[in-house]
Amino acid sequence: MKQPTASKPLLHLPALVVWCLLMLLMHVSLAGGRVAVMLGALSLGVSSAGVGMLIAAFAFLPMFLAVFTGRRMDKTGSYRLMWLAALGCALGAFMPWVWLHPATLAVAAVAIGLGHMAFQIAIQGLLGDGDAAKRLRNYSWLAMAMAVSGFSGPLIAGLSIDYLGHRWAFFMLALGPAFAFWAVCKLRATIVGLHVPSERPNTASRMMDLFRVRPLRYALLANLLLSSAWDTHSFLVPLYGAQQGFSATTIGAILAAFAAATFVVRMLLPFIQKWIKPWPMIHFAMISAAGYFMLYPWIENQWLLMGLSFLLGFSLGSTQPSILSLLQQHAPPGRKVEAFGMRTALVNGSQVSLPLGFGALGTVIGILPLFAVSSFALALGAWLTRRGGHDTASAPTDREVMPPK
């Protein structure tokens, strides 16, 4: 694949900026869509279990299709799937604006989730070429862009709901993917030209081959645990805020504080990474986040919750660029975008299971014990990945895994 961050401008902007801005627009729809779907469902009288099913719908199909999507992009390039992803995301977000109903909320969740999944894998692949330092720089910029969208998405959703109504919140969230669709069409020749078919072996490859690469397995497991904590926070905070009687704007502000922290820490990462290696940073994020989750049920003041959300975002937001760079570094030849697809599939698997499980448990035992469950899972995850970074240099695999022939 040609270097996507070349100096040649796209749409009169540097290429790296363009890819990050397009991902930002798509991620606004996802981050805000989760809040809008959840609060829209609650306004329609949907139960906690039903809300969990709706949130799980964002990730259900991506869980099964992410690896296939990555393989397809490795083989044929990104343009067609990016075009379809942006269009589907925009149309799905428009549906509840036309008719606010649990059925259209489900359609929006599926369409936004699928569109975001495909678009994100494509952007990660486009930014993945180059040496380790360049990859880390590219992914740090991407992470900062997604931190901005993670901040603005819930805030746009909350403000739109309070001042315009639930239907118009979805209209606002559909504008970003619509513009991304237009931009991808304008950049068709560039995106097609960036693809060089990977030189990968002819025989069929298996997903489990990726797990046999020890550094890759550690990185995938760490990413799964940290992403699960991220999604747990996004799911539990609106339920907890509604239980406390907070307005949609206040709930959106609490979630926005989390996203603002991820942006701040990613701005500081170039300095932090000079002193702290990736795996100590990952383990610190898990342990500190476990402590923050234990504090949540004891706090009812909205300002203190914003502060706690900021601290949690600072911990969890520090790891994504390093994990993406590790995945790119350790993926087998010809399967780099597929490794991103595997990451996305695992993350979406947790996004399906956590809302369903927590939604059902929340109906039975309430919301507060779920924070303790999340804290325990993070602490256990830090222990399970304790060997990360210690033996990867001398023993890259449990057994020598050659790329499939």
Side-chain angles (χ1 to χ4, degrees), residues 277-289:
K277 294 182 178 180
W279 279 106
M281 189 183 305
I282 289 169
H283 291 140
F284 173 79
M286 292 180 181
I287 294 169
S288 59

PDB file of all heavy atoms in Angstrom, residues 277-289:
ATOM      1  N   LYS A 277       6.747   3.055  28.819  1.00  0.00           N
ATOM      2  CA  LYS A 277       6.572   2.113  27.725  1.00  0.00           C
ATOM      3  C   LYS A 277       5.111   1.700  27.611  1.00  0.00           C
ATOM      4  O   LYS A 277       4.337   1.862  28.561  1.00  0.00           O
ATOM      5  CB  LYS A 277       7.483   0.903  27.929  1.00  0.00           C
ATOM      6  CG  LYS A 277       8.962   1.243  27.839  1.00  0.00           C
ATOM      7  CD  LYS A 277       9.823  -0.003  28.000  1.00  0.00           C
ATOM      8  CE  LYS A 277      11.305   0.342  27.871  1.00  0.00           C
ATOM      9  NZ  LYS A 277      12.162  -0.865  28.021  1.00  0.00           N
ATOM     10  N   PRO A 278       4.720   1.118  26.462  1.00  0.00           N
ATOM     11  CA  PRO A 278       3.300   0.819  26.235  1.00  0.00           C
ATOM     12  C   PRO A 278       2.666  -0.074  27.294  1.00  0.00           C
ATOM     13  O   PRO A 278       1.578   0.237  27.791  1.00  0.00           O
ATOM     14  CB  PRO A 278       3.295   0.142  24.857  1.00  0.00           C
ATOM     15  CG  PRO A 278       4.479   0.714  24.161  1.00  0.00           C
ATOM     16  CD  PRO A 278       5.512   0.886  25.224  1.00  0.00           C
ATOM     17  N   TRP A 279       3.327  -1.186  27.651  1.00  0.00           N
ATOM     18  CA  TRP A 279       2.651  -2.116  28.547  1.00  0.00           C
ATOM     19  C   TRP A 279       2.479  -1.601  29.975  1.00  0.00           C
ATOM     20  O   TRP A 279       1.414  -1.793  30.563  1.00  0.00           O
ATOM     21  CB  TRP A 279       3.346  -3.473  28.523  1.00  0.00           C
ATOM     22  CG  TRP A 279       2.918  -4.266  27.328  1.00  0.00           C
ATOM     23  CD1 TRP A 279       3.634  -4.521  26.203  1.00  0.00           C
ATOM     24  CD2 TRP A 279       1.637  -4.872  27.125  1.00  0.00           C
ATOM     25  NE1 TRP A 279       2.890  -5.246  25.304  1.00  0.00           N
ATOM     26  CE2 TRP A 279       1.653  -5.485  25.849  1.00  0.00           C
ATOM     27  CE3 TRP A 279       0.477  -4.960  27.886  1.00  0.00           C
ATOM     28  CZ2 TRP A 279       0.570  -6.169  25.331  1.00  0.00           C
ATOM     29  CZ3 TRP A 279      -0.618  -5.641  27.374  1.00  0.00           C
ATOM     30  CH2 TRP A 279      -0.564  -6.233  26.120  1.00  0.00           C
ATOM     31  N   PRO A 280       3.473  -0.931  30.580  1.00  0.00           N
ATOM     32  CA  PRO A 280       3.185  -0.304  31.880  1.00  0.00           C
ATOM     33  C   PRO A 280       2.031   0.700  31.827  1.00  0.00           C
ATOM     34  O   PRO A 280       1.238   0.799  32.768  1.00  0.00           O
ATOM     35  CB  PRO A 280       4.514   0.378  32.232  1.00  0.00           C
ATOM     36  CG  PRO A 280       5.546  -0.446  31.533  1.00  0.00           C
ATOM     37  CD  PRO A 280       4.912  -0.876  30.248  1.00  0.00           C
ATOM     38  N   MET A 281       1.931   1.420  30.717  1.00  0.00           N
ATOM     39  CA  MET A 281       0.829   2.365  30.558  1.00  0.00           C
ATOM     40  C   MET A 281      -0.512   1.633  30.492  1.00  0.00           C
ATOM     41  O   MET A 281      -1.504   2.056  31.093  1.00  0.00           O
ATOM     42  CB  MET A 281       1.051   3.194  29.294  1.00  0.00           C
ATOM     43  CG  MET A 281       0.085   4.365  29.124  1.00  0.00           C
ATOM     44  SD  MET A 281       0.346   5.243  27.558  1.00  0.00           S
ATOM     45  CE  MET A 281       2.088   5.658  27.675  1.00  0.00           C
ATOM     46  N   ILE A 282      -0.535   0.509  29.761  1.00  0.00           N
ATOM     47  CA  ILE A 282      -1.758  -0.277  29.634  1.00  0.00           C
ATOM     48  C   ILE A 282      -2.183  -0.828  30.994  1.00  0.00           C
ATOM     49  O   ILE A 282      -3.365  -0.765  31.379  1.00  0.00           O
ATOM     50  CB  ILE A 282      -1.550  -1.405  28.612  1.00  0.00           C
ATOM     51  CG1 ILE A 282      -1.452  -0.832  27.196  1.00  0.00           C
ATOM     52  CG2 ILE A 282      -2.691  -2.423  28.679  1.00  0.00           C
ATOM     53  CD1 ILE A 282      -0.980  -1.824  26.150  1.00  0.00           C
ATOM     54  N   HIS A 283      -1.230  -1.375  31.760  1.00  0.00           N
ATOM     55  CA  HIS A 283      -1.575  -1.943  33.058  1.00  0.00           C
ATOM     56  C   HIS A 283      -2.023  -0.862  34.052  1.00  0.00           C
ATOM     57  O   HIS A 283      -2.944  -1.082  34.849  1.00  0.00           O
ATOM     58  CB  HIS A 283      -0.384  -2.720  33.613  1.00  0.00           C
ATOM     59  CG  HIS A 283      -0.080  -3.972  32.845  1.00  0.00           C
ATOM     60  ND1 HIS A 283       1.190  -4.394  32.571  1.00  0.00           N
ATOM     61  CD2 HIS A 283      -0.906  -4.876  32.266  1.00  0.00           C
ATOM     62  CE1 HIS A 283       1.148  -5.517  31.871  1.00  0.00           C
ATOM     63  NE2 HIS A 283      -0.122  -5.822  31.665  1.00  0.00           N
ATOM     64  N   PHE A 284      -1.383   0.299  34.012  1.00  0.00           N
ATOM     65  CA  PHE A 284      -1.826   1.398  34.866  1.00  0.00           C
ATOM     66  C   PHE A 284      -3.254   1.810  34.534  1.00  0.00           C
ATOM     67  O   PHE A 284      -4.060   2.090  35.434  1.00  0.00           O
ATOM     68  CB  PHE A 284      -0.888   2.598  34.729  1.00  0.00           C
ATOM     69  CG  PHE A 284      -1.379   3.821  35.455  1.00  0.00           C
ATOM     70  CD1 PHE A 284      -1.225   3.939  36.824  1.00  0.00           C
ATOM     71  CD2 PHE A 284      -2.017   4.843  34.766  1.00  0.00           C
ATOM     72  CE1 PHE A 284      -1.694   5.055  37.501  1.00  0.00           C
ATOM     73  CE2 PHE A 284      -2.495   5.966  35.425  1.00  0.00           C
ATOM     74  CZ  PHE A 284      -2.321   6.072  36.809  1.00  0.00           C
ATOM     75  N   ALA A 285      -3.568   1.842  33.241  1.00  0.00           N
ATOM     76  CA  ALA A 285      -4.925   2.207  32.834  1.00  0.00           C
ATOM     77  C   ALA A 285      -5.944   1.228  33.405  1.00  0.00           C
ATOM     78  O   ALA A 285      -7.006   1.638  33.898  1.00  0.00           O
ATOM     79  CB  ALA A 285      -5.015   2.253  31.307  1.00  0.00           C
ATOM     80  N   MET A 286      -5.643  -0.061  33.346  1.00  0.00           N
ATOM     81  CA  MET A 286      -6.582  -1.056  33.871  1.00  0.00           C
ATOM     82  C   MET A 286      -6.778  -0.907  35.385  1.00  0.00           C
ATOM     83  O   MET A 286      -7.914  -0.911  35.882  1.00  0.00           O
ATOM     84  CB  MET A 286      -6.075  -2.464  33.561  1.00  0.00           C
ATOM     85  CG  MET A 286      -6.096  -2.838  32.087  1.00  0.00           C
ATOM     86  SD  MET A 286      -5.479  -4.515  31.866  1.00  0.00           S
ATOM     87  CE  MET A 286      -5.590  -4.673  30.082  1.00  0.00           C
ATOM     88  N   ILE A 287      -5.681  -0.777  36.113  1.00  0.00           N
ATOM     89  CA  ILE A 287      -5.771  -0.740  37.580  1.00  0.00           C
ATOM     90  C   ILE A 287      -6.452   0.539  38.050  1.00  0.00           C
ATOM     91  O   ILE A 287      -7.327   0.514  38.934  1.00  0.00           O
ATOM     92  CB  ILE A 287      -4.368  -0.878  38.184  1.00  0.00           C
ATOM     93  CG1 ILE A 287      -3.797  -2.267  37.867  1.00  0.00           C
ATOM     94  CG2 ILE A 287      -4.406  -0.662  39.692  1.00  0.00           C
ATOM     95  CD1 ILE A 287      -2.332  -2.422  38.193  1.00  0.00           C
ATOM     96  N   SER A 288      -6.074   1.684  37.483  1.00  0.00           N
ATOM     97  CA  SER A 288      -6.699   2.938  37.906  1.00  0.00           C
ATOM     98  C   SER A 288      -8.176   2.971  37.539  1.00  0.00           C
ATOM     99  O   SER A 288      -9.015   3.437  38.328  1.00  0.00           O
ATOM    100  CB  SER A 288      -5.966   4.126  37.280  1.00  0.00           C
ATOM    101  OG  SER A 288      -5.998   4.055  35.862  1.00  0.00           O
ATOM    102  N   ALA A 289      -8.528   2.467  36.341  1.00  0.00           N
ATOM    103  CA  ALA A 289      -9.937   2.447  35.951  1.00  0.00           C
ATOM    104  C   ALA A 289     -10.749   1.551  36.878  1.00  0.00           C
ATOM    105  O   ALA A 289     -11.915   1.853  37.182  1.00  0.00           O
ATOM    106  CB  ALA A 289     -10.069   1.969  34.508  1.00  0.00           C
TER     107      ALA A 289
END
